[in-house]
Amino acid sequence: MSDATDPWLIVGLGNPGPDYAANRHNVGFMVADLLATRIGGKFKRAQKAQAQVVEGRMGPPGPASRRVILVKPMSYMNLSGGPVTALRDFYKVPTDHVVAVHDELDVDYGMLRLKLGGGDNGHNGLKSMTKAMGPDYHRVRFGIGRPPGRMQVADFVLKDFSSTERKELAFLVDRAADSVECLLAEGLERAQSAYNS
């Protein structure tokens, strides 16, 4: 069982490389980048895994401050579990202190849902993480909605946000980052009541 002194592993899910940077599937990377800026860190290559990491502290100074390791797996989405598990083990992070930030098809665009555990809902990043370490980690589900018309899901998630969506995107990424900070500082129930929409 985890306690307050255990570190947190915050995993932004996405695909590496400039071709994918603005895709819907990469919103986890966007949130991780913003959190890195907030804690005053820069991502660098991890020694122990195929990932980029930033270490720092989140929350108010003092006993409420949390040690965090921000992670962007560089293995492509469907292989995220390997690097995440390697870093979880290296930093001795309990599984319930792992948070995956990811795009979610079954939530309307811009809505957030925070939860602990559950299925992967067809999301390859979650599928890989769950296979590697079980389902008992937190998720911050960033709604991207369903594809329009007959567009295939794979095509939709690997497309950039639309111009209409981009008008709100910075605000929504900011709100998702706030929800991660709230989860760490105040716990899941408070974060859910504040951010689940």
Side-chain angles (χ1 to χ4, degrees):
M1 195 60 199
S2 55
D3 68 40
T5 60
D6 285 320
W8 286 80
L9 201 68
I10 314 297
V11 183
L13 289 176
N15 286 307
D19 292 351
Y20 298 101
N23 289 180
R24 293 183 177 92
H25 223 18
N26 269 42
V27 75
F29 276 15
M30 297 173 198
V31 175
D33 285 337
L34 179 57
L35 288 168
T37 303
R38 289 185 182 184
I39 66 172
K42 278 194 168 27
F43 277 99
K44 59 184 188 296
R45 203 158 63 80
Q47 298 298 311
K48 302 292 176 187
Q50 193 178 355
Q52 292 184 351
V53 294
V54 178
E55 295 180 57
R57 298 197 79 81
M58 200 175 275
S65 168
R66 301 281 181 256
R67 181 172 169 232
V68 296
I69 303 99
L70 301 173
V71 180
K72 294 195 296 186
M74 293 286 120
S75 56
Y76 290 99
M77 185 69 87
N78 59 346
L79 300 172
S80 301
V84 173
T85 305
L87 291 166
R88 179 201 64 172
D89 294 347
F90 176 70
Y91 289 106
K92 299 180 172 55
V93 177
T95 302
D96 67 351
H97 273 214
V98 176
V99 182
V101 184
H102 63 92
D103 57 303
E104 177 60 61
L105 288 159
D106 285 338
V107 176
D108 289 341
Y109 176 66
M111 302 285 130
L112 291 174
R113 294 274 194 289
L114 283 77
K115 68 174 191 170
L116 174 63
D120 57 55
N121 207 17
H123 191 288
N124 287 331
L126 297 181
K127 199 175 288 183
S128 179
M129 284 180 62
T130 298
K131 186 176 176 191
M133 63 181 172
D136 300 326
Y137 54 91
H138 287 86
R139 297 101 193 277
V140 174
R141 304 159 73 205
F142 186 110
I144 60 169
R146 300 295 304 183
R150 295 185 175 181
M151 186 188 287
Q152 293 294 310
V153 165
D155 295 334
F156 179 68
V157 300
L158 293 175
K159 278 204 172 359
D160 290 358
F161 285 100
S162 71
S163 55
T164 308
E165 289 169 334
R166 282 199 298 272
K167 288 178 182 147
E168 286 185 286
L169 186 59
F171 167 76
L172 297 170
V173 167
D174 196 63
R175 190 165 179 271
D178 290 347
S179 79
V180 173
E181 293 198 26
C182 182
L183 170 64
L184 270 56
E186 300 184 49
L188 180 61
E189 282 185 28
R190 288 293 297 273
Q192 285 174 325
S193 64
Y195 292 96
N196 277 15
S197 40

